[in-house]
Amino acid sequence: MEVTTEKNEKVANMIFASIYPHYLNRIVKNGRTKEELDQVITWFTGHGNESIQALIDEKVTFRSFFQKAKIHPNAHLIKGVVCGYRIEEIADEFELYKQCRQMEKLIEELAKGRKMEKILREEKVRN
């Protein structure tokens, strides 16, 4: 599927606090914990537990959430399809939308029971 400016803006203006409970319900339903969810979000965005809670309390938009983030240098290793979009094919002009889908991919993997060391991607060192 193709990302549009309208779709990007719609996601940018969504309130993070309104989506976080859906993330949490999804992973808890599959036997994972809030701590694991926050660990994944922290790895990806650099927001610690207190920061995540503060952003929820402030009811920030995804735009603000990602503007305040320090995206992990290995985020480029997050690939695949989520919600019908192939992450690596999302145009650079829609960076916020791509970041949202990357985070959703990590949460999806968590919900599916993937091991944390696989979710929190590391560059492979070549000899």
Side-chain angles (χ1 to χ4, degrees):
M1 291 198 302
E2 197 72 29
V3 180
T4 62
T5 302
E6 294 79 20
K7 176 82 78 183
N8 191 64
E9 279 304 301
K10 183 178 178 184
V11 169
N13 292 318
M14 290 172 62
I15 304 298
F16 176 70
S18 68
I19 304 302
Y20 182 86
H22 297 291
Y23 294 155
L24 185 58
N25 288 339
R26 179 165 185 209
I27 62 110
V28 168
K29 185 171 66 176
N30 289 292
R32 302 307 283 258
T33 66
K34 179 185 185 305
E35 290 72 27
E36 289 174 308
L37 173 61
D38 289 348
Q39 182 182 356
V40 166
I41 293 173
T42 296
W43 177 87
F44 182 61
T45 65
H47 293 305
N49 293 0
E50 290 178 14
S51 175
I52 293 169
Q53 190 56 55
L55 293 167
I56 289 170
D57 294 343
E58 291 172 34
K59 294 186 174 20
V60 299
T61 62
F62 272 99
R63 176 179 281 115
S64 293
F65 179 82
F66 285 116
Q67 282 174 342
K68 296 176 182 190
K70 291 180 178 67
I71 300 300
H72 196 282
N74 288 345
H76 68 279
L77 299 173
I78 304 167
K79 298 180 178 174
V81 177
V82 64
C83 300
Y85 294 90
R86 178 157 292 284
I87 293 168
E88 54 272 32
E89 293 176 1
I90 297 173
D92 290 343
E93 68 185 287
F94 303 120
E95 181 182 20
L96 184 141
Y97 194 85
K98 184 175 196 167
Q99 290 169 341
C100 190
R101 294 300 177 203
Q102 287 172 314
M103 189 166 75
E104 287 177 11
K105 181 69 174 173
L106 298 176
I107 294 166
E108 175 184 276
E109 291 174 358
L110 182 65
K112 288 183 175 178
R114 194 165 196 209
K115 288 183 169 46
M116 194 61 80
E117 57 268 15
K118 296 280 190 188
I119 297 170
L120 309 182
R121 287 144 168 89
E122 294 290 328
E123 290 276 10
K124 289 187 174 71
V125 179
R126 296 191 177 167
N127 297 335

